[in-house]
Amino acid sequence: MADQPGGPTQPPPPPSPLIESATRELHKGTLVPLRLPSILSFGQAMAKLGFVQRLGLRPGEVEDAARRLREMRAEAGSMPDATALELLGSFEEPGVPHLLQAAQALAGVPVEALLGFGRAVVELRRGDLERITAERGGGGEAAGAAHNDLHGAVLAVKGLEISTDAHGGVGALNLERLEMTPAGIERGELVGTVPLAPLEQTAVTQKEWSVQKKEFTSIVTDSLETLSETGVTDNTELSQSTNSQQEHSNQFNVTGTVSGGIPVISGSVTSSFTGQGKESESATESRKHATGLTQKASSRAKQEHKVTIATTTVTGTSQTTTRTLRNPNDTNPIRVDYYSMMRKWRVRLYRYGLRSTYDIVLPEPASSMRRAYVELTALKARLGPFVFDLPHSDITADIRTGDPKPPVTDPPTPDQPHYLVLADRYHAPAPPPPPAPTKIINLSADDLNLGVGRHSGKVTVNVPPNYRIASILMNASLEHAEHDGRFTVMGTNISFDPFGHHKDYVDFALFAHDGSTPFLLNATESQPIRMLFEDVNSATITFTVRCVPTNESMDQWRADVWNGFYNAAQAQYFAEQQDIAGKIAALEERLTNVDTLTLRREENDEVMKGVLRYLLGTRFPTMPGKVLAAFEKANVDVTHGTAFETGAIKPDAEEWTLVRQYEEIVRFVNQAIEWENVVTFLYSYFWDIPASWDFIRQLEHPDATRQAFLRAGSARIVLTVRRGWETRWANFVDRGLLDDPREPDPESPYWTIAQEIAAYDDRNYPGIPPANPGKTATRLEDAVITTSPVSVSPSTGPVAIQVAASAGFLVGAQVVIDSVRGLDHNQEAQTIVEIPDATHIKVGKLTKAHTGTAASPFSVVQPGEKGELIAEWNEYTPTSGIDITVTYNPAQGA
């Protein structure tokens, strides 16, 4: 509160102390792609090996491509020689060649020759695709395979061009750390004011209530871009805001994620490696990125604070307090001001390490993980309403041997009626059709009154219930006396004409008068058959009546059978649907209910597998065929992987040759790469086939990082080379030499960069300090940096070096003099023996000359335990506190 005019003046409050114990750390990294000092046609063995492997050469394709190059009259250097063509031809054969030997041989093949060969393969496959499209109308499996082959060749050529350009996949990763330390509370913006005239009195009401909150566990942040996010963070406003900002950056098409301890990655422009320090380009980019990150965090936390106040749900009891404010002065007005309280943070950006990197690009990094979603989609497609498409007409008691017409799917057998075949299909009992589908009734015309003249006779057909007459056959033998005899069955097509002395009817089918309709067709119950004779002495007549079930009875039988089949099929369908729903639930549970650490581990394993296949080719065998055949020959359990446990098989040395070959490569790659610092950038859709985009877009997972990984069409993998393995890795990627610590070709750009990064990391970044340093340790917590504008010469004795300022340097501490500049490794480390004055330090000796001018001084660095401090600034975040001030006589500015 300010004093009244004329009152005593209070001293300014002391600065708030730093709360070191509450310091928060956020690890980050700055990725710097490096431009190669020189571009060579030779070397780069692993990039060339990956190119040939991704081509997927087919038998005879090398010869065709060579002939195409000769026809195109390829320029000098773009045509592989006979040795190179023979080497390329070895990749046409099935199986896996010795990859390291192939890589070493490919290192000697010019890049231009491989690119020319690859372009010739692209032209050949484009011609094949056009031919297949013209012949088959642009569709079919053959056209799809040809398109995929062409696509693979185009990507292989493009990948080799990228891998062998000025970048070459190499870079540097600066390991950095943001330290945020609370530095006190300061007054923020004005949130309200109450003016009071002389002797005026007013009432201020303050309402307090109790609420239940999940503070610092579940937060909702509304960003300036109106993006809502939910995250789990620690108990700090700044760390919440910083994590929220990083989560926001992961929502874009290009997502930067890591499997280790670097949650934030920033990128710098491509540059040559000419030394790094506080003023280097990468440091400038890192400072801008870190400052922007913390500034956005402050802004986001501020908006979060406002939204929280406006939307808090009040529960419990409330208490209202009324305070009376009175201006006791009878002449001067006063003003009561309310200010928000801001928490001040001291933010420091340290660099504590430098790693060599090697970039590769993997297509569809989560392709194997998508198989479970393919299975899930297939299961969901089987869910739906019950459909029973069996027509009633397909239910017959006939025995058929021919192929039935659709929709009959189960043909009958010669020995089984079709309705029984259907019963087997639906696993349901079927009632038989009405008994005796064809009923035979034999009638003999006995006791006929025959002789000269006309006579009649009758027999009665008693048709069984639910049957009808289908046909009538007559067998008769007739004889006459003296005159020609006559005979007919009334109502049939038998004419009453004379027949001579004798007449026989054998299996004679009776028809109606029209000659086409069977006699008494479809008649039921009792039906008389009347006969007329004239001059017939004797007659033996038998009628065979074939009866079949009526249409109504057959329809009822079909309906009964159909209902039985329907109920059985419906029960089976519902049981199957329930089983499918259970499988879907179990699969979704397995896909979604996984802890975060397991998800990250699975993604890291997929990246590791993709890296090995990139380096060793798609033919890289996780288990060689000969070894697998040996397992199967021994009848071991290959499904559950228990062969080694049971000791059922002991392959000989020849069977394990390929296993040992790739085991050494896998071991080397896993040891040479810092997998905890590998950086992955995910690209949506890129390299994915457009036809699969709809499926990929629908992939969902509750974990945002896993969902981005599943939807990625490709991934840029930045491999960080482990400290001390720079030389071995350069030999591996450039010459195909495995675990070789010797210096490679001095002209190799990979070796030059690896040497510079290893030297710079050793001398500028001391690494992690000992857990319990001695009391006499002179190393400072932070690095001390100065410059020297003069030139000094080598000396075996103590040398005094003029510097801009010697403050902070300690006798007995080690200093790093100069920096790595291009190929001149004139940086060295020496020990301080004396500090004569404020502008000089004396070191024990100098082994190299160092040139400094006023315009371009060389650096002198005393490394600190935390690394090199490259930036420091303050940030502010709001708190829930309120500050009050009373100002007298505001008109006079008091």
Side-chain angles (χ1 to χ4, degrees):
M1 181 181 297
D3 296 326
Q4 298 186 31
T9 302
Q10 296 182 354
S16 301
L18 293 172
I19 308 177
E20 298 286 351
S21 60
T23 298
R24 277 74 165 173
E25 291 186 357
L26 177 66
H27 291 272
K28 68 182 297 287
T30 300
L31 181 62
V32 186
L34 299 179
R35 186 178 296 109
L36 296 177
S38 60
I39 303 177
L40 302 178
S41 293
F42 301 97
Q44 306 184 75
M46 301 312 296
K48 295 176 180 177
L49 177 64
F51 159 75
V52 178
Q53 293 273 50
R54 287 191 295 275
L55 274 181
L57 295 171
R58 299 170 298 191
E61 203 165 32
V62 172
E63 183 179 352
D64 293 341
R67 183 169 54 254
R68 185 64 174 266
L69 285 173
R70 287 191 291 269
E71 294 173 354
M72 297 168 57
R73 295 182 179 179
E75 299 177 358
S78 60
M79 176 69 185
D81 57 20
T83 303
L85 291 175
E86 182 180 356
L87 175 61
L88 292 170
S90 65
F91 286 87
E92 294 180 344
E93 303 298 329
V96 183
H98 196 291
L99 294 183
L100 288 180
Q101 294 179 0
Q104 294 166 16
L106 286 170
V109 181
V111 172
E112 296 81 2
L114 291 177
L115 287 175
F117 174 79
R119 295 186 181 106
V121 172
V122 169
E123 292 302 321
L124 287 174
R125 294 183 180 179
R126 181 174 286 114
D128 292 342
L129 177 60
E130 293 174 354
R131 176 180 52 80
I132 294 175
T133 302
E135 293 176 355
R136 308 189 182 186
E141 184 177 348
H147 188 277
N148 289 337
D149 290 341
L150 174 61
H151 186 61
V154 171
L155 292 180
V157 173
K158 189 63 178 177
L160 183 61
E161 291 175 349
I162 295 175
S163 300
T164 56
D165 63 1
H167 177 202
V170 297
L173 180 67
N174 290 282
L175 304 180
E176 299 167 350
R177 181 179 61 254
L178 271 172
E179 288 190 357
M180 298 162 287
T181 304
I185 301 295
E186 294 188 4
R187 181 184 298 173
E189 63 181 336
L190 179 68
V191 296
T193 183
V194 179
L196 293 175
L199 301 179
E200 182 182 1
Q201 179 174 312
T202 185
V204 177
T205 301
Q206 178 181 352
K207 180 177 290 186
E208 297 179 358
W209 60 89
S210 61
V211 295
Q212 294 182 353
K213 300 180 181 178
K214 295 187 294 181
E215 293 185 356
F216 311 126
T217 299
S218 177
I219 64 168
V220 177
T221 303
D222 290 330
S223 69
L224 298 179
E225 292 82 3
T226 66
L227 175 70
S228 296
E229 300 170 329
T230 300
V232 178
T233 66
D234 57 1
N235 299 337
T236 70
E237 296 89 340
L238 186 58
S239 60
Q240 290 178 9
S241 305
T242 302
N243 287 345
S244 177
Q245 166 68 12
Q246 177 60 17
E247 290 172 5
H248 169 66
S249 69
N250 287 346
Q251 302 302 317
F252 295 101
N253 287 337
V254 180
T255 305
T257 61
V258 288
S259 3
I262 307 181
V264 182
I265 295 292
S266 62
S268 178
V269 295
T270 303
S271 63
S272 59
F273 189 86
T274 56
Q276 299 191 103
K278 289 184 63 178
E279 305 307 324
S280 67
E281 188 173 24
S282 62
T284 302
E285 294 294 332
S286 180
R287 284 197 296 269
K288 290 180 180 179
H289 178 266
T291 305
L293 184 66
T294 55
Q295 286 177 347
K296 291 178 182 178
S298 176
S299 175
R300 286 165 183 260
K302 181 177 180 179
Q303 184 165 345
E304 175 201 353
H305 175 68
K306 291 182 179 180
V307 173
T308 301
I309 292 176
T311 60
T312 298
T313 301
V314 180
T315 59
T317 60
S318 63
Q319 181 179 359
T320 302
T321 303
T322 302
R323 297 178 179 177
T324 301
L325 299 180
R326 180 176 178 274
N327 184 0
N329 196 301
D330 56 358
T331 58
N332 296 321
I334 66 172
R335 186 182 69 235
V336 181
D337 297 327
Y338 293 82
Y339 294 89
S340 64
M341 300 298 293
M342 306 292 291
R343 175 169 293 169
K344 180 180 179 181
W345 298 84
R346 186 196 69 183
V347 185
R348 286 182 171 182
L349 178 61
Y350 290 95
R351 277 189 173 173
Y352 65 89
L354 183 67
R355 297 292 182 269
S356 176
T357 64
Y358 187 76
D359 287 18
I360 63 175
V361 179
L362 302 178
E364 296 186 334
S367 57
S368 61
M369 290 183 173
R370 292 178 185 172
R371 293 174 184 170
Y373 289 88
V374 174
E375 179 184 354
L376 183 62
T377 302
L379 288 173
K380 289 183 176 180
R382 294 169 59 185
L383 295 177
F386 174 68
V387 177
F388 190 68
D389 54 2
L390 178 69
H392 286 72
S393 60
D394 200 37
I395 301 175
T396 67
D398 300 334
I399 297 177
R400 294 184 291 185
T401 57
D403 294 335
K405 297 180 180 180
V408 177
T409 57
D410 296 311
T413 64
D415 301 325
Q416 192 175 30
H418 188 239
Y419 80 93
L420 294 180
V421 176
L422 296 176
D424 292 339
R425 185 211 300 181
Y426 296 111
H427 305 286
T438 300
K439 187 174 183 64
I440 305 299
I441 303 176
N442 293 316
L443 301 174
S444 297
D446 299 327
D447 301 328
L448 295 174
N449 184 15
L450 302 177
V452 179
R454 289 193 174 187
H455 303 275
S456 64
K458 181 183 76 170
V459 294
T460 301
V461 180
N462 294 316
V463 181
N466 298 324
Y467 280 81
R468 60 182 176 83
I469 295 176
S471 63
I472 300 176
L473 297 179
M474 182 183 69
N475 288 277
S477 178
L478 305 172
E479 293 183 356
H480 67 86
E482 299 177 355
H483 305 283
D484 291 340
R486 299 172 183 267
F487 169 76
T488 187
V489 176
M490 300 179 65
T492 68
N493 60 343
I494 299 177
S495 63
F496 197 67
D497 295 333
F499 56 79
H501 296 286
H502 184 79
K503 180 68 173 179
D504 289 329
Y505 294 90
V506 179
D507 292 336
F508 184 81
L510 298 181
F511 287 90
H513 289 298
D514 58 9
S516 59
T517 303
F519 179 58
L520 295 181
L521 179 66
N522 297 327
T524 58
E525 300 179 349
S526 294
Q527 298 293 334
I529 301 177
R530 302 180 184 275
M531 298 164 287
L532 182 62
F533 305 90
E534 183 174 321
D535 297 332
V536 176
N537 293 334
S538 64
T540 302
I541 304 173
T542 302
F543 296 96
T544 302
V545 182
R546 187 172 68 89
C547 299
V548 296
T550 61
N551 293 335
E552 291 78 8
S553 62
M554 288 301 296
D555 290 342
Q556 181 62 43
W557 172 71
R558 289 190 182 94
D560 294 342
V561 174
W562 190 91
N563 289 332
F565 290 167
Y566 179 90
N567 294 331
Q570 187 180 53
Q572 295 170 21
Y573 179 80
F574 288 151
E576 181 184 11
Q577 292 285 288
Q578 186 175 4
D579 181 63
I580 294 174
K583 291 180 179 179
I584 291 175
L587 187 56
E588 289 179 339
E589 177 75 9
R590 180 164 59 88
L591 290 174
T592 59
N593 192 18
V594 184
D595 62 276
T596 304
L597 294 179
T598 301
L599 292 175
R600 300 294 84 81
R601 181 62 184 175
E602 291 176 350
E603 294 157 10
N604 184 64
D605 290 343
E606 289 300 307
V607 169
M608 186 180 300
K609 181 181 69 176
V611 169
L612 290 174
R613 288 187 172 176
Y614 175 91
L615 295 173
L616 305 178
T618 55
R619 298 183 183 181
F620 165 65
T622 52
M623 175 60 72
K626 290 184 178 180
V627 178
L628 183 59
F631 282 138
E632 294 175 346
K633 183 178 179 181
N635 296 322
V636 300
D637 184 2
V638 296
T639 302
H640 303 93
T642 59
F644 293 97
E645 178 67 22
T646 59
I649 182 172
K650 298 178 181 179
D652 56 23
E654 181 179 358
E655 292 171 331
W656 283 108
T657 299
L658 287 175
V659 175
R660 292 195 181 98
Q661 172 190 343
Y662 292 102
E663 181 183 8
E664 294 177 355
I665 301 177
V666 172
R667 175 186 55 80
F668 171 78
V669 173
N670 280 276
Q671 290 179 345
I673 298 302
E674 278 188 346
W675 293 101
E676 64 273 17
N677 288 331
V678 168
V679 183
T680 303
F681 295 94
L682 303 176
Y683 300 88
S684 300
Y685 299 122
F686 182 65
W687 277 6
D688 265 323
I689 300 175
S692 64
W693 286 0
D694 289 340
F695 169 74
I696 295 171
R697 188 167 40 237
Q698 296 174 8
L699 294 178
E700 295 182 354
H701 197 279
D703 185 88
T705 303
R706 171 53 66 87
Q707 179 169 297
F709 192 79
L710 290 169
R711 293 185 177 185
S714 65
R716 175 191 173 194
I717 311 298
V718 182
L719 302 176
T720 55
V721 182
R722 194 174 302 278
R723 184 179 182 182
W725 290 74
E726 294 87 357
T727 301
R728 291 178 171 88
W729 185 258
N731 282 327
F732 178 66
V733 298
D734 196 43
R735 296 295 178 183
L737 302 176
L738 185 64
D739 206 6
D740 190 347
R742 297 173 296 176
E743 294 185 6
D745 186 349
E747 295 183 359
S748 169
Y750 293 95
W751 160 243
T752 302
I753 292 175
Q755 185 184 30
E756 292 176 358
I757 291 178
Y760 200 84
D761 184 67
D762 284 339
R763 295 179 180 175
N764 259 352
Y765 304 123
I768 301 175
N772 297 297
K775 295 181 179 180
T776 59
T778 58
R779 175 173 292 175
L780 297 179
E781 184 181 54
D782 297 330
V784 181
I785 303 174
T786 188
T787 59
S788 176
V790 299
S791 298
V792 292
S793 302
S795 173
T796 57
V799 179
I801 304 175
Q802 179 184 341
V803 294
S806 62
F809 288 89
L810 298 178
V811 175
Q814 190 178 61
V815 292
V816 178
I817 302 171
D818 217 332
S819 60
V820 177
R821 301 179 182 179
L823 300 180
D824 298 329
H825 301 278
N826 54 349
Q827 190 179 65
E828 62 178 303
Q830 297 296 340
T831 303
I832 300 176
V833 296
E834 183 183 353
I835 301 179
D837 52 45
T839 58
H840 288 83
I841 62 173
K842 183 179 289 188
V843 296
K845 63 178 181 178
L846 288 177
T847 59
K848 299 179 180 180
H850 305 279
T851 302
T853 64
S856 180
F858 63 85
S859 61
V860 180
V861 180
Q862 180 178 268
E865 292 177 353
K866 292 185 176 181
E868 182 181 359
L869 179 65
I870 63 174
E872 180 178 350
W873 66 96
N874 293 326
E875 292 292 352
Y876 297 87
T877 56
T879 68
S880 58
I882 296 293
D883 189 19
I884 302 176
T885 63
V886 179
T887 304
Y888 285 85
N889 199 9
Q892 300 180 8

